[in-house]
Amino acid sequence: MRRIVLLGPPGAGKGTQAKRLATDLGIVHLSTGDLLRAAAARGTSLGREADGYMRQGLLVPDALVLRILRERLAAPDAQRGFVLDGYPRNVAQAHSLAEITPIDHVVYFEIPESALVERLSQRRSCPTCGAVYNLVTQPPRTPGRCDRDGTTLVQRSDDEEGAVRTRLAVYRQATLPLLDLYRTQGRLRTVSAGGTVEEVDARVRASLR
Ligand code: ADP
Ligand code: ADP
């Protein structure tokens, strides 16, 4: 049973590493960003409400995110452990999480801001299966198409420059204070998120030993 939280700024590679780690450990990858985008795509009332915040790069209100997370964590496949990516993002969410489930490790992805802007501007994703690519560092085999299902890749609206700036500011202001919280609890493992996907993968694994 592993209950792992990945913490770090937008573009640090949390989603990329979470998928690898979850597959490897045989546990679920749980991304609140993916859950919210799926709800928005389905056009549920929660999804429609969340969508306006996401487009601007602002945090979706805590109560909405908590509702969607609680539901997902209650599913049978989440009972054997999870890699949680994108939650918590502020101190209130960290307290809510502690009330729902114990956490074993928090892995913090440390990376300079300049690298984030570069990674985010080149990020593309598959609207069908959620696979994430990078035009420079993780290109698809056929330009513009998902390797798995051939769907035309898209750029997330919140990866445009204005929204990226807002997200980085929100991260600094709301999310960074979580480092101290988890450090004090003795749960924080810090890894450098620079370098190749394989290099970061190796550091994450080493940090979990
Ligand atoms: P996050 O979930 O933290 O926002 P992603 O996993 O979506 O980050 O990665 C952001 C972008 O950077 C994507 O385009 C991804 O393909 C790319 N990426 C992820 N890890 C690396 C890495 N180690 N080196 C270079 N590019 C990376
Ligand atoms: P990234 O890792 O690139 O920042 P995510 O997919 O984790 O992207 O999040 C995208 C957007 O979804 C956020 O900017 C925010 O609007 C919303 N979101 C995701 N998780 C949360 C959360 N825990 N609390 C509030 N909003 C969230």
PDB file of all heavy atoms in Angstrom, residues 8-17 19 85 109 116 119-120 122-124 132-135 137-138 156 167 193-200, ligand 1:
ATOM      1  N   GLY A   8       4.561  20.200  -6.665  1.00  0.00           N
ATOM      2  CA  GLY A   8       5.520  20.967  -7.456  1.00  0.00           C
ATOM      3  C   GLY A   8       4.781  21.912  -8.372  1.00  0.00           C
ATOM      4  O   GLY A   8       3.568  21.795  -8.554  1.00  0.00           O
ATOM      5  N   PRO A   9       5.500  22.845  -8.986  1.00  0.00           N
ATOM      6  CA  PRO A   9       4.861  23.854  -9.825  1.00  0.00           C
ATOM      7  C   PRO A   9       4.302  23.261 -11.118  1.00  0.00           C
ATOM      8  O   PRO A   9       4.706  22.160 -11.516  1.00  0.00           O
ATOM      9  CB  PRO A   9       6.003  24.827 -10.125  1.00  0.00           C
ATOM     10  CG  PRO A   9       7.247  24.030  -9.969  1.00  0.00           C
ATOM     11  CD  PRO A   9       6.959  23.017  -8.900  1.00  0.00           C
ATOM     12  N   PRO A  10       3.406  23.993 -11.778  1.00  0.00           N
ATOM     13  CA  PRO A  10       2.893  23.549 -13.073  1.00  0.00           C
ATOM     14  C   PRO A  10       4.049  23.358 -14.051  1.00  0.00           C
ATOM     15  O   PRO A  10       4.930  24.214 -14.141  1.00  0.00           O
ATOM     16  CB  PRO A  10       1.977  24.692 -13.527  1.00  0.00           C
ATOM     17  CG  PRO A  10       2.228  25.841 -12.621  1.00  0.00           C
ATOM     18  CD  PRO A  10       2.814  25.275 -11.361  1.00  0.00           C
ATOM     19  N   GLY A  11       4.047  22.233 -14.755  1.00  0.00           N
ATOM     20  CA  GLY A  11       5.081  21.985 -15.757  1.00  0.00           C
ATOM     21  C   GLY A  11       6.302  21.270 -15.221  1.00  0.00           C
ATOM     22  O   GLY A  11       7.233  20.971 -15.965  1.00  0.00           O
ATOM     23  N   ALA A  12       6.312  20.952 -13.932  1.00  0.00           N
ATOM     24  CA  ALA A  12       7.490  20.312 -13.332  1.00  0.00           C
ATOM     25  C   ALA A  12       7.653  18.856 -13.784  1.00  0.00           C
ATOM     26  O   ALA A  12       8.721  18.275 -13.604  1.00  0.00           O
ATOM     27  CB  ALA A  12       7.408  20.372 -11.812  1.00  0.00           C
ATOM     28  N   GLY A  13       6.585  18.278 -14.340  1.00  0.00           N
ATOM     29  CA  GLY A  13       6.662  16.876 -14.783  1.00  0.00           C
ATOM     30  C   GLY A  13       5.942  15.924 -13.846  1.00  0.00           C
ATOM     31  O   GLY A  13       6.132  14.702 -13.924  1.00  0.00           O
ATOM     32  N   LYS A  14       5.062  16.438 -12.999  1.00  0.00           N
ATOM     33  CA  LYS A  14       4.341  15.592 -12.041  1.00  0.00           C
ATOM     34  C   LYS A  14       3.473  14.555 -12.757  1.00  0.00           C
ATOM     35  O   LYS A  14       3.487  13.377 -12.414  1.00  0.00           O
ATOM     36  CB  LYS A  14       3.455  16.436 -11.118  1.00  0.00           C
ATOM     37  CG  LYS A  14       4.200  17.494 -10.329  1.00  0.00           C
ATOM     38  CD  LYS A  14       3.261  18.289  -9.437  1.00  0.00           C
ATOM     39  CE  LYS A  14       2.167  19.004 -10.197  1.00  0.00           C
ATOM     40  NZ  LYS A  14       2.653  20.068 -11.116  1.00  0.00           N
ATOM     41  N   GLY A  15       2.704  15.014 -13.745  1.00  0.00           N
ATOM     42  CA  GLY A  15       1.812  14.099 -14.457  1.00  0.00           C
ATOM     43  C   GLY A  15       2.601  13.001 -15.162  1.00  0.00           C
ATOM     44  O   GLY A  15       2.246  11.819 -15.098  1.00  0.00           O
ATOM     45  N   THR A  16       3.674  13.409 -15.829  1.00  0.00           N
ATOM     46  CA  THR A  16       4.520  12.461 -16.563  1.00  0.00           C
ATOM     47  C   THR A  16       5.063  11.394 -15.619  1.00  0.00           C
ATOM     48  O   THR A  16       4.995  10.192 -15.906  1.00  0.00           O
ATOM     49  CB  THR A  16       5.694  13.229 -17.216  1.00  0.00           C
ATOM     50  OG1 THR A  16       5.150  14.217 -18.100  1.00  0.00           O
ATOM     51  CG2 THR A  16       6.615  12.300 -17.974  1.00  0.00           C
ATOM     52  N   GLN A  17       5.582  11.815 -14.480  1.00  0.00           N
ATOM     53  CA  GLN A  17       6.165  10.857 -13.528  1.00  0.00           C
ATOM     54  C   GLN A  17       5.083  10.067 -12.801  1.00  0.00           C
ATOM     55  O   GLN A  17       5.277   8.883 -12.494  1.00  0.00           O
ATOM     56  CB  GLN A  17       7.059  11.577 -12.510  1.00  0.00           C
ATOM     57  CG  GLN A  17       8.252  12.285 -13.135  1.00  0.00           C
ATOM     58  CD  GLN A  17       9.218  11.341 -13.847  1.00  0.00           C
ATOM     59  OE1 GLN A  17       9.280  10.143 -13.536  1.00  0.00           O
ATOM     60  NE2 GLN A  17       9.971  11.863 -14.807  1.00  0.00           N
ATOM     61  N   LYS A  19       2.257   8.985 -13.914  1.00  0.00           N
ATOM     62  CA  LYS A  19       1.774   7.879 -14.758  1.00  0.00           C
ATOM     63  C   LYS A  19       2.748   6.717 -14.708  1.00  0.00           C
ATOM     64  O   LYS A  19       2.344   5.560 -14.569  1.00  0.00           O
ATOM     65  CB  LYS A  19       1.606   8.352 -16.207  1.00  0.00           C
ATOM     66  CG  LYS A  19       0.423   9.295 -16.405  1.00  0.00           C
ATOM     67  CD  LYS A  19       0.174   9.538 -17.895  1.00  0.00           C
ATOM     68  CE  LYS A  19      -0.971  10.513 -18.127  1.00  0.00           C
ATOM     69  NZ  LYS A  19      -0.567  11.924 -18.009  1.00  0.00           N
ATOM     70  N   ASP A  85      -1.677  13.657  -7.844  1.00  0.00           N
ATOM     71  CA  ASP A  85      -0.927  14.679  -8.589  1.00  0.00           C
ATOM     72  C   ASP A  85      -1.838  15.904  -8.757  1.00  0.00           C
ATOM     73  O   ASP A  85      -2.879  15.803  -9.374  1.00  0.00           O
ATOM     74  CB  ASP A  85      -0.503  14.005  -9.911  1.00  0.00           C
ATOM     75  CG  ASP A  85      -0.426  14.909 -11.110  1.00  0.00           C
ATOM     76  OD1 ASP A  85      -0.174  16.103 -10.955  1.00  0.00           O
ATOM     77  OD2 ASP A  85      -0.604  14.385 -12.237  1.00  0.00           O
ATOM     78  N   PHE A 109       8.877  18.253  -6.402  1.00  0.00           N
ATOM     79  CA  PHE A 109       9.623  18.439  -7.646  1.00  0.00           C
ATOM     80  C   PHE A 109      10.197  19.852  -7.670  1.00  0.00           C
ATOM     81  O   PHE A 109       9.459  20.818  -7.849  1.00  0.00           O
ATOM     82  CB  PHE A 109       8.694  18.253  -8.852  1.00  0.00           C
ATOM     83  CG  PHE A 109       8.351  16.829  -9.161  1.00  0.00           C
ATOM     84  CD1 PHE A 109       7.882  15.975  -8.180  1.00  0.00           C
ATOM     85  CD2 PHE A 109       8.507  16.324 -10.446  1.00  0.00           C
ATOM     86  CE1 PHE A 109       7.567  14.657  -8.467  1.00  0.00           C
ATOM     87  CE2 PHE A 109       8.192  15.013 -10.752  1.00  0.00           C
ATOM     88  CZ  PHE A 109       7.727  14.174  -9.761  1.00  0.00           C
ATOM     89  N   LEU A 116      10.133  25.812 -16.449  1.00  0.00           N
ATOM     90  CA  LEU A 116       8.690  25.525 -16.468  1.00  0.00           C
ATOM     91  C   LEU A 116       8.014  26.176 -17.660  1.00  0.00           C
ATOM     92  O   LEU A 116       7.211  25.545 -18.359  1.00  0.00           O
ATOM     93  CB  LEU A 116       8.029  26.057 -15.193  1.00  0.00           C
ATOM     94  CG  LEU A 116       8.551  25.477 -13.895  1.00  0.00           C
ATOM     95  CD1 LEU A 116       7.911  26.204 -12.722  1.00  0.00           C
ATOM     96  CD2 LEU A 116       8.258  23.989 -13.846  1.00  0.00           C
ATOM     97  N   ARG A 119       8.789  24.264 -20.750  1.00  0.00           N
ATOM     98  CA  ARG A 119       8.084  22.981 -20.856  1.00  0.00           C
ATOM     99  C   ARG A 119       6.598  23.180 -21.153  1.00  0.00           C
ATOM    100  O   ARG A 119       6.011  22.463 -21.956  1.00  0.00           O
ATOM    101  CB  ARG A 119       8.231  22.187 -19.551  1.00  0.00           C
ATOM    102  CG  ARG A 119       9.607  21.550 -19.406  1.00  0.00           C
ATOM    103  CD  ARG A 119       9.643  20.670 -18.177  1.00  0.00           C
ATOM    104  NE  ARG A 119      10.980  20.142 -17.947  1.00  0.00           N
ATOM    105  CZ  ARG A 119      11.306  19.377 -16.925  1.00  0.00           C
ATOM    106  NH1 ARG A 119      10.394  19.063 -16.024  1.00  0.00           N
ATOM    107  NH2 ARG A 119      12.536  18.928 -16.778  1.00  0.00           N
ATOM    108  N   LEU A 120       5.992  24.173 -20.482  1.00  0.00           N
ATOM    109  CA  LEU A 120       4.540  24.365 -20.637  1.00  0.00           C
ATOM    110  C   LEU A 120       4.189  24.873 -22.028  1.00  0.00           C
ATOM    111  O   LEU A 120       3.164  24.489 -22.596  1.00  0.00           O
ATOM    112  CB  LEU A 120       4.018  25.337 -19.578  1.00  0.00           C
ATOM    113  CG  LEU A 120       4.011  24.800 -18.149  1.00  0.00           C
ATOM    114  CD1 LEU A 120       3.647  25.909 -17.167  1.00  0.00           C
ATOM    115  CD2 LEU A 120       3.041  23.633 -18.011  1.00  0.00           C
ATOM    116  N   GLN A 122       5.526  24.155 -24.740  1.00  0.00           N
ATOM    117  CA  GLN A 122       5.658  23.076 -25.734  1.00  0.00           C
ATOM    118  C   GLN A 122       4.801  21.858 -25.387  1.00  0.00           C
ATOM    119  O   GLN A 122       4.884  20.835 -26.052  1.00  0.00           O
ATOM    120  CB  GLN A 122       7.130  22.632 -25.827  1.00  0.00           C
ATOM    121  CG  GLN A 122       8.121  23.760 -26.092  1.00  0.00           C
ATOM    122  CD  GLN A 122       7.908  24.434 -27.436  1.00  0.00           C
ATOM    123  OE1 GLN A 122       7.449  23.802 -28.377  1.00  0.00           O
ATOM    124  NE2 GLN A 122       8.204  25.721 -27.525  1.00  0.00           N
ATOM    125  N   ARG A 123       4.003  21.931 -24.321  1.00  0.00           N
ATOM    126  CA  ARG A 123       3.180  20.775 -23.922  1.00  0.00           C
ATOM    127  C   ARG A 123       1.982  20.615 -24.863  1.00  0.00           C
ATOM    128  O   ARG A 123       1.316  21.576 -25.196  1.00  0.00           O
ATOM    129  CB  ARG A 123       2.675  20.957 -22.486  1.00  0.00           C
ATOM    130  CG  ARG A 123       1.685  19.862 -22.077  1.00  0.00           C
ATOM    131  CD  ARG A 123       1.563  19.715 -20.594  1.00  0.00           C
ATOM    132  NE  ARG A 123       0.947  20.862 -19.935  1.00  0.00           N
ATOM    133  CZ  ARG A 123       0.798  20.961 -18.608  1.00  0.00           C
ATOM    134  NH1 ARG A 123       1.217  19.985 -17.825  1.00  0.00           N
ATOM    135  NH2 ARG A 123       0.248  22.029 -18.082  1.00  0.00           N
ATOM    136  N   ARG A 124       1.709  19.411 -25.273  1.00  0.00           N
ATOM    137  CA  ARG A 124       0.510  19.094 -26.049  1.00  0.00           C
ATOM    138  C   ARG A 124      -0.069  17.839 -25.422  1.00  0.00           C
ATOM    139  O   ARG A 124       0.646  17.009 -24.887  1.00  0.00           O
ATOM    140  CB  ARG A 124       0.841  18.805 -27.522  1.00  0.00           C
ATOM    141  CG  ARG A 124       1.453  19.986 -28.275  1.00  0.00           C
ATOM    142  CD  ARG A 124       0.476  21.154 -28.458  1.00  0.00           C
ATOM    143  NE  ARG A 124       1.053  22.235 -29.248  1.00  0.00           N
ATOM    144  CZ  ARG A 124       1.795  23.224 -28.752  1.00  0.00           C
ATOM    145  NH1 ARG A 124       2.059  23.245 -27.452  1.00  0.00           N
ATOM    146  NH2 ARG A 124       2.270  24.164 -29.531  1.00  0.00           N
ATOM    147  N   VAL A 132       0.327  12.852 -22.484  1.00  0.00           N
ATOM    148  CA  VAL A 132       0.960  14.168 -22.528  1.00  0.00           C
ATOM    149  C   VAL A 132       2.279  14.089 -23.287  1.00  0.00           C
ATOM    150  O   VAL A 132       3.073  13.171 -23.084  1.00  0.00           O
ATOM    151  CB  VAL A 132       1.192  14.700 -21.096  1.00  0.00           C
ATOM    152  CG1 VAL A 132       2.015  15.974 -21.110  1.00  0.00           C
ATOM    153  CG2 VAL A 132      -0.147  14.947 -20.410  1.00  0.00           C
ATOM    154  N   TYR A 133       2.483  15.034 -24.198  1.00  0.00           N
ATOM    155  CA  TYR A 133       3.697  15.095 -25.021  1.00  0.00           C
ATOM    156  C   TYR A 133       4.363  16.442 -24.832  1.00  0.00           C
ATOM    157  O   TYR A 133       3.804  17.348 -24.207  1.00  0.00           O
ATOM    158  CB  TYR A 133       3.338  14.917 -26.505  1.00  0.00           C
ATOM    159  CG  TYR A 133       2.673  13.596 -26.787  1.00  0.00           C
ATOM    160  CD1 TYR A 133       1.286  13.451 -26.678  1.00  0.00           C
ATOM    161  CD2 TYR A 133       3.432  12.494 -27.139  1.00  0.00           C
ATOM    162  CE1 TYR A 133       0.676  12.233 -26.924  1.00  0.00           C
ATOM    163  CE2 TYR A 133       2.831  11.268 -27.395  1.00  0.00           C
ATOM    164  CZ  TYR A 133       1.458  11.147 -27.277  1.00  0.00           C
ATOM    165  OH  TYR A 133       0.860   9.933 -27.516  1.00  0.00           O
ATOM    166  N   ASN A 134       5.559  16.560 -25.416  1.00  0.00           N
ATOM    167  CA  ASN A 134       6.234  17.843 -25.477  1.00  0.00           C
ATOM    168  C   ASN A 134       6.853  17.948 -26.865  1.00  0.00           C
ATOM    169  O   ASN A 134       7.547  17.017 -27.288  1.00  0.00           O
ATOM    170  CB  ASN A 134       7.297  17.937 -24.382  1.00  0.00           C
ATOM    171  CG  ASN A 134       7.883  19.327 -24.296  1.00  0.00           C
ATOM    172  OD1 ASN A 134       8.693  19.720 -25.110  1.00  0.00           O
ATOM    173  ND2 ASN A 134       7.441  20.083 -23.300  1.00  0.00           N
ATOM    174  N   LEU A 135       6.597  19.056 -27.553  1.00  0.00           N
ATOM    175  CA  LEU A 135       7.051  19.170 -28.936  1.00  0.00           C
ATOM    176  C   LEU A 135       8.564  19.042 -29.037  1.00  0.00           C
ATOM    177  O   LEU A 135       9.084  18.563 -30.036  1.00  0.00           O
ATOM    178  CB  LEU A 135       6.601  20.514 -29.535  1.00  0.00           C
ATOM    179  CG  LEU A 135       5.095  20.717 -29.651  1.00  0.00           C
ATOM    180  CD1 LEU A 135       4.783  22.038 -30.344  1.00  0.00           C
ATOM    181  CD2 LEU A 135       4.434  19.554 -30.392  1.00  0.00           C
ATOM    182  N   THR A 137      10.791  17.859 -26.117  1.00  0.00           N
ATOM    183  CA  THR A 137      11.455  16.813 -25.334  1.00  0.00           C
ATOM    184  C   THR A 137      10.750  15.455 -25.384  1.00  0.00           C
ATOM    185  O   THR A 137      11.382  14.434 -25.145  1.00  0.00           O
ATOM    186  CB  THR A 137      11.574  17.236 -23.859  1.00  0.00           C
ATOM    187  OG1 THR A 137      10.262  17.444 -23.328  1.00  0.00           O
ATOM    188  CG2 THR A 137      12.359  18.527 -23.712  1.00  0.00           C
ATOM    189  N   GLN A 138       9.440  15.424 -25.660  1.00  0.00           N
ATOM    190  CA  GLN A 138       8.696  14.149 -25.713  1.00  0.00           C
ATOM    191  C   GLN A 138       7.778  14.165 -26.924  1.00  0.00           C
ATOM    192  O   GLN A 138       6.553  14.066 -26.763  1.00  0.00           O
ATOM    193  CB  GLN A 138       7.825  13.979 -24.458  1.00  0.00           C
ATOM    194  CG  GLN A 138       8.514  14.107 -23.134  1.00  0.00           C
ATOM    195  CD  GLN A 138       9.337  12.894 -22.801  1.00  0.00           C
ATOM    196  OE1 GLN A 138      10.477  13.013 -22.435  1.00  0.00           O
ATOM    197  NE2 GLN A 138       8.788  11.701 -22.965  1.00  0.00           N
ATOM    198  N   ARG A 156      -3.455  22.882 -24.151  1.00  0.00           N
ATOM    199  CA  ARG A 156      -4.409  23.288 -23.123  1.00  0.00           C
ATOM    200  C   ARG A 156      -4.541  24.802 -23.135  1.00  0.00           C
ATOM    201  O   ARG A 156      -3.548  25.508 -23.254  1.00  0.00           O
ATOM    202  CB  ARG A 156      -3.918  22.823 -21.747  1.00  0.00           C
ATOM    203  CG  ARG A 156      -4.337  21.411 -21.407  1.00  0.00           C
ATOM    204  CD  ARG A 156      -3.625  20.857 -20.221  1.00  0.00           C
ATOM    205  NE  ARG A 156      -3.572  21.760 -19.068  1.00  0.00           N
ATOM    206  CZ  ARG A 156      -3.028  21.444 -17.905  1.00  0.00           C
ATOM    207  NH1 ARG A 156      -2.501  20.242 -17.734  1.00  0.00           N
ATOM    208  NH2 ARG A 156      -3.012  22.301 -16.928  1.00  0.00           N
ATOM    209  N   ARG A 167      -0.837  31.029 -13.118  1.00  0.00           N
ATOM    210  CA  ARG A 167      -0.660  29.754 -12.405  1.00  0.00           C
ATOM    211  C   ARG A 167       0.613  29.746 -11.581  1.00  0.00           C
ATOM    212  O   ARG A 167       0.639  29.210 -10.478  1.00  0.00           O
ATOM    213  CB  ARG A 167      -0.670  28.591 -13.406  1.00  0.00           C
ATOM    214  CG  ARG A 167      -2.080  28.310 -13.911  1.00  0.00           C
ATOM    215  CD  ARG A 167      -2.067  27.601 -15.236  1.00  0.00           C
ATOM    216  NE  ARG A 167      -1.447  26.305 -15.145  1.00  0.00           N
ATOM    217  CZ  ARG A 167      -0.864  25.686 -16.178  1.00  0.00           C
ATOM    218  NH1 ARG A 167      -0.800  26.281 -17.351  1.00  0.00           N
ATOM    219  NH2 ARG A 167      -0.359  24.499 -16.007  1.00  0.00           N
ATOM    220  N   ALA A 193      13.859  18.202 -10.429  1.00  0.00           N
ATOM    221  CA  ALA A 193      13.005  17.811 -11.553  1.00  0.00           C
ATOM    222  C   ALA A 193      13.594  18.222 -12.896  1.00  0.00           C
ATOM    223  O   ALA A 193      12.931  18.143 -13.928  1.00  0.00           O
ATOM    224  CB  ALA A 193      11.604  18.387 -11.375  1.00  0.00           C
ATOM    225  N   GLY A 194      14.861  18.680 -12.893  1.00  0.00           N
ATOM    226  CA  GLY A 194      15.545  18.988 -14.153  1.00  0.00           C
ATOM    227  C   GLY A 194      16.127  17.710 -14.745  1.00  0.00           C
ATOM    228  O   GLY A 194      16.195  16.687 -14.076  1.00  0.00           O
ATOM    229  N   GLY A 195      16.543  17.784 -16.019  1.00  0.00           N
ATOM    230  CA  GLY A 195      17.106  16.599 -16.672  1.00  0.00           C
ATOM    231  C   GLY A 195      16.036  15.828 -17.414  1.00  0.00           C
ATOM    232  O   GLY A 195      14.891  16.285 -17.522  1.00  0.00           O
ATOM    233  N   THR A 196      16.411  14.651 -17.908  1.00  0.00           N
ATOM    234  CA  THR A 196      15.473  13.891 -18.743  1.00  0.00           C
ATOM    235  C   THR A 196      14.393  13.218 -17.890  1.00  0.00           C
ATOM    236  O   THR A 196      14.526  13.110 -16.664  1.00  0.00           O
ATOM    237  CB  THR A 196      16.207  12.782 -19.519  1.00  0.00           C
ATOM    238  OG1 THR A 196      16.707  11.842 -18.554  1.00  0.00           O
ATOM    239  CG2 THR A 196      17.365  13.331 -20.338  1.00  0.00           C
ATOM    240  N   VAL A 197      13.350  12.753 -18.544  1.00  0.00           N
ATOM    241  CA  VAL A 197      12.261  12.032 -17.868  1.00  0.00           C
ATOM    242  C   VAL A 197      12.825  10.821 -17.118  1.00  0.00           C
ATOM    243  O   VAL A 197      12.445  10.552 -15.975  1.00  0.00           O
ATOM    244  CB  VAL A 197      11.194  11.595 -18.908  1.00  0.00           C
ATOM    245  CG1 VAL A 197      10.199  10.621 -18.301  1.00  0.00           C
ATOM    246  CG2 VAL A 197      10.473  12.817 -19.468  1.00  0.00           C
ATOM    247  N   GLU A 198      13.765  10.116 -17.746  1.00  0.00           N
ATOM    248  CA  GLU A 198      14.348   8.914 -17.111  1.00  0.00           C
ATOM    249  C   GLU A 198      15.153   9.290 -15.870  1.00  0.00           C
ATOM    250  O   GLU A 198      15.115   8.579 -14.862  1.00  0.00           O
ATOM    251  CB  GLU A 198      15.244   8.161 -18.100  1.00  0.00           C
ATOM    252  CG  GLU A 198      14.480   7.422 -19.196  1.00  0.00           C
ATOM    253  CD  GLU A 198      13.884   8.352 -20.247  1.00  0.00           C
ATOM    254  OE1 GLU A 198      14.389   9.490 -20.412  1.00  0.00           O
ATOM    255  OE2 GLU A 198      12.897   7.962 -20.891  1.00  0.00           O
ATOM    256  N   GLU A 199      15.887  10.399 -15.958  1.00  0.00           N
ATOM    257  CA  GLU A 199      16.683  10.835 -14.802  1.00  0.00           C
ATOM    258  C   GLU A 199      15.783  11.203 -13.623  1.00  0.00           C
ATOM    259  O   GLU A 199      16.051  10.824 -12.479  1.00  0.00           O
ATOM    260  CB  GLU A 199      17.570  12.031 -15.178  1.00  0.00           C
ATOM    261  CG  GLU A 199      18.789  11.642 -16.009  1.00  0.00           C
ATOM    262  CD  GLU A 199      19.471  12.833 -16.690  1.00  0.00           C
ATOM    263  OE1 GLU A 199      18.884  13.935 -16.750  1.00  0.00           O
ATOM    264  OE2 GLU A 199      20.591  12.643 -17.167  1.00  0.00           O
ATOM    265  N   VAL A 200      14.717  11.931 -13.909  1.00  0.00           N
ATOM    266  CA  VAL A 200      13.805  12.328 -12.830  1.00  0.00           C
ATOM    267  C   VAL A 200      13.132  11.085 -12.249  1.00  0.00           C
ATOM    268  O   VAL A 200      13.001  10.938 -11.032  1.00  0.00           O
ATOM    269  CB  VAL A 200      12.749  13.347 -13.341  1.00  0.00           C
ATOM    270  CG1 VAL A 200      11.800  13.733 -12.224  1.00  0.00           C
ATOM    271  CG2 VAL A 200      13.425  14.585 -13.925  1.00  0.00           C
TER     272      VAL A 200
HETATM  273  P1  ADP B   1       2.897  18.811 -14.599  1.00  0.00           P
HETATM  274  O1  ADP B   1       1.937  17.667 -14.458  1.00  0.00           O
HETATM  275  O2  ADP B   1       3.801  18.963 -13.406  1.00  0.00           O
HETATM  276  O3  ADP B   1       2.227  20.101 -14.955  1.00  0.00           O
HETATM  277  P2  ADP B   1       3.761  17.471 -17.090  1.00  0.00           P
HETATM  278  O4  ADP B   1       4.091  16.082 -16.667  1.00  0.00           O
HETATM  279  O5  ADP B   1       2.511  17.701 -17.826  1.00  0.00           O
HETATM  280  O6  ADP B   1       3.890  18.466 -15.812  1.00  0.00           O
HETATM  281  O7  ADP B   1       5.007  18.007 -17.943  1.00  0.00           O
HETATM  282  C1  ADP B   1       5.019  19.324 -18.496  1.00  0.00           C
HETATM  283  C2  ADP B   1       5.630  19.264 -19.915  1.00  0.00           C
HETATM  284  O8  ADP B   1       7.024  18.944 -19.825  1.00  0.00           O
HETATM  285  C3  ADP B   1       5.036  18.187 -20.827  1.00  0.00           C
HETATM  286  O9  ADP B   1       5.073  18.682 -22.155  1.00  0.00           O
HETATM  287  C4  ADP B   1       5.974  17.002 -20.652  1.00  0.00           C
HETATM  288  O10 ADP B   1       5.996  16.174 -21.815  1.00  0.00           O
HETATM  289  C5  ADP B   1       7.321  17.684 -20.456  1.00  0.00           C
HETATM  290  N1  ADP B   1       8.218  16.998 -19.525  1.00  0.00           N
HETATM  291  C6  ADP B   1       7.901  16.272 -18.420  1.00  0.00           C
HETATM  292  N2  ADP B   1       9.021  15.836 -17.790  1.00  0.00           N
HETATM  293  C7  ADP B   1      10.072  16.298 -18.526  1.00  0.00           C
HETATM  294  C8  ADP B   1      11.507  16.196 -18.396  1.00  0.00           C
HETATM  295  N3  ADP B   1      12.081  15.533 -17.376  1.00  0.00           N
HETATM  296  N4  ADP B   1      12.267  16.810 -19.316  1.00  0.00           N
HETATM  297  C9  ADP B   1      11.706  17.485 -20.326  1.00  0.00           C
HETATM  298  N5  ADP B   1      10.389  17.624 -20.518  1.00  0.00           N
HETATM  299  C10 ADP B   1       9.564  17.043 -19.626  1.00  0.00           C
END
